[in-house]
């Protein structure tokens, strides 16, 4: 039986918790919570509260969404003791700290899974298995409201699992139009195998957009996630073998099967490095 601990805002963790509670080999050992608001009785979870140090000793694995509650040294001790965890939100860690955790996790065979919600879309899983390289990949992600701070990080993590690498060269531009109440940002990422990824994202117009198009020799792919249109060379893609996986399930199954998760702390570290370079280039346009 896997003893699972919960650290952070339990209200935000509740969807993950309910999935975990359905797993026959999981026992919720307790929680160390912060920021939880009262909820209706029908949705409230009755879980014993512990201080963080005591909970860490009681549980084998954790769902965490507030890493600021864990001093870095305590996080390192958890990893050394093979206390596995799933980061449902992105840890506020530096690249150096991620590198240190990666090394500790490898030595202790600790599983650290990082949230990567876009990757688990069936069409993205199909693309990861079938895209030909070198390829030109075009991602369009626009909302009718300001995009979240984590949006670019999520897109880069998604692409990391498709490309299997980090870019060798990056360029970035960003433009703001107060008259149009819009923001347009463009990234161009070049990879060692000759592949190029272009990401257009921001706030634009009344409609949301989420598309991924790829172009390679004898392979043109169009994925429109909001319209549910997925084609390769103008023929519909059969996505029936690719079910929409739940990240909680993949974390628990990864522990049971003792294999590496799809998105590791090492993946997160490499994306943070790329993101740092991108932000330096985007900052040049922030004062315009």
């Amino acid at each position: 039986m896997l003893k699972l601990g919960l650290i952070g805002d339990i209200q935000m963790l509740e969807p993950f918790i309910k999935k975990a509670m359905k797993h026959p080999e999981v026992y919720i050992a307790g929680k160390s919570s912060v920021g939880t608001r009262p909820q209706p009785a029908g949705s409230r979870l009755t879980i014993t509260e512990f201080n963080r140090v005591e909970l860490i000793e009681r549980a084998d694995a954790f769902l965490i969404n507030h890493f600021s509650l864990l001093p870095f040294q305590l996080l390192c001790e958890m990893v050394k003791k093979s206390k596995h965890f799933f980061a449902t939100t992105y840890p506020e860690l530096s690249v150096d700290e991620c590198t240190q955790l990666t090394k500790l996790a490898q030595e202790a065979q600790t599983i650290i899974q990082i949230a990567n919600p876009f990757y688990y879309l069936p069409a993205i899983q199909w693309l990861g298995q079938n895209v030909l390289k070198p390829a030109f990949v075009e991602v369009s992600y626009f909302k009718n409201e300001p995009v979240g701070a984590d949006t670019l990080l999520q897109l880069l993590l998604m692409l990391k699992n498709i490309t299997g690498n980090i870019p060798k060269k990056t360029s970035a531009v960003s433009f703001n139009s107060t008259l149009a109440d819009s923001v347009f940002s463009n990234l161009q990422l070049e990879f060692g195998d000759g592949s190029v990824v272009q990401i257009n994202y921001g706030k634009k117009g009344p409609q949301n957009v989420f598309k991924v198009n790829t172009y390679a020799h004898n392979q043109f792919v169009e994925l429109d996630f909001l319209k549910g249109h997925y084609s390769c060379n103008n023929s519909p893609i059969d996505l029936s073998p690719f079910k929409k996986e739940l990240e909680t399930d993949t974390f628990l199954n990864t522990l049971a099967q003792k294999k590496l998760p799809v998105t590791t702390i090492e993946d997160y570290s490499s994306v943070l490095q790329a993101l740092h370079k991108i932000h330096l280039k985007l900052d040049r346009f922030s004062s315009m």
Side-chain angles (χ1 to χ4, degrees), residues 24-280:
E25 297 299 322
V26 170
Y27 165 71
I28 305 297
K31 62 183 172 69
S32 181
S33 60
V34 66
T36 303
R37 300 190 185 101
Q39 299 183 49
S43 63
R44 187 176 299 142
L45 297 170
T46 304
I47 302 170
T48 306
E49 183 82 20
F50 295 97
N51 67 57
R52 280 177 280 288
V53 174
E54 187 177 4
L55 180 61
I56 289 168
E57 291 301 319
R58 286 175 172 268
D60 308 310
F62 299 85
L63 302 179
I64 308 175
N65 70 357
H66 268 272
F67 279 82
S68 58
L69 299 175
L70 299 167
F72 182 67
Q73 193 55 46
L74 179 57
L75 199 56
C76 289
E77 290 302 318
M78 290 173 64
V79 175
K80 289 178 183 178
K81 293 179 180 179
S82 296
K83 303 289 185 176
H84 314 289
F85 61 84
F86 172 27
T88 67
T89 57
Y90 300 115
E92 304 92 342
L93 299 172
S94 68
V95 171
D96 288 343
E97 288 172 334
C98 287
T99 301
Q100 186 174 340
L101 284 183
T102 297
K103 182 179 179 181
L104 292 175
Q106 291 171 345
E107 293 172 350
Q109 296 186 325
T110 303
I111 300 299
I112 303 176
Q113 179 172 320
I114 307 296
N116 191 354
F118 291 151
Y119 174 78
Y120 289 92
L121 297 171
I124 292 298
Q125 292 184 57
W126 178 91
L127 188 63
Q129 293 186 19
N130 292 278
V131 65
L132 299 179
K133 298 176 184 179
F136 180 85
V137 182
E138 183 179 39
V139 180
S140 297
Y141 188 92
F142 291 95
K143 303 194 73 173
N144 57 12
E145 58 187 15
V147 297
D150 290 335
T151 297
L152 182 54
L153 182 55
Q154 290 177 345
L155 291 172
L156 291 173
L157 281 170
M158 174 191 78
L159 290 166
K160 173 68 169 61
N161 289 108
I162 293 173
T163 62
N165 213 328
I166 58 174
K168 299 292 185 181
K169 182 179 178 182
T170 64
S171 59
V173 296
S174 184
F175 303 103
N176 177 45
S177 172
T178 54
L179 296 177
D181 190 25
S182 299
V183 178
F184 173 85
S185 298
N186 168 272
L187 310 180
Q188 188 125 332
L189 314 175
E190 299 180 17
F191 294 81
D193 64 358
S195 296
V196 175
V197 174
Q198 181 170 271
I199 304 175
N200 298 315
Y201 72 102
K203 177 186 179 185
K204 185 179 70 171
Q207 294 183 335
N208 296 333
V209 177
F210 185 16
K211 297 179 180 179
V212 176
N213 293 348
T214 72
Y215 306 91
H217 185 62
N218 287 330
Q219 187 190 65
F220 284 18
V221 177
E222 297 182 23
L223 309 178
D224 188 327
F225 297 93
L226 300 186
K227 293 183 178 179
H229 172 78
Y230 312 108
S231 68
C232 178
N233 295 329
N234 297 321
S235 296
I237 297 172
D238 179 14
L239 295 179
S240 58
F242 300 88
K243 296 180 180 179
K244 185 174 182 180
E245 294 188 65
L246 301 170
E247 290 192 88
T248 311
D249 290 343
T250 62
F251 173 61
L252 298 174
N253 291 335
T254 295
L255 293 179
Q257 298 166 17
K258 297 181 180 179
K259 63 179 185 179
L260 285 176
V262 168
T263 309
T264 65
I265 189 70
E266 187 175 9
D267 295 321
Y268 181 64
S269 178
S270 64
V271 167
L272 283 184
Q273 292 180 58
L275 193 62
H276 176 69
K277 294 177 183 178
I278 289 167
H279 281 158
L280 289 176

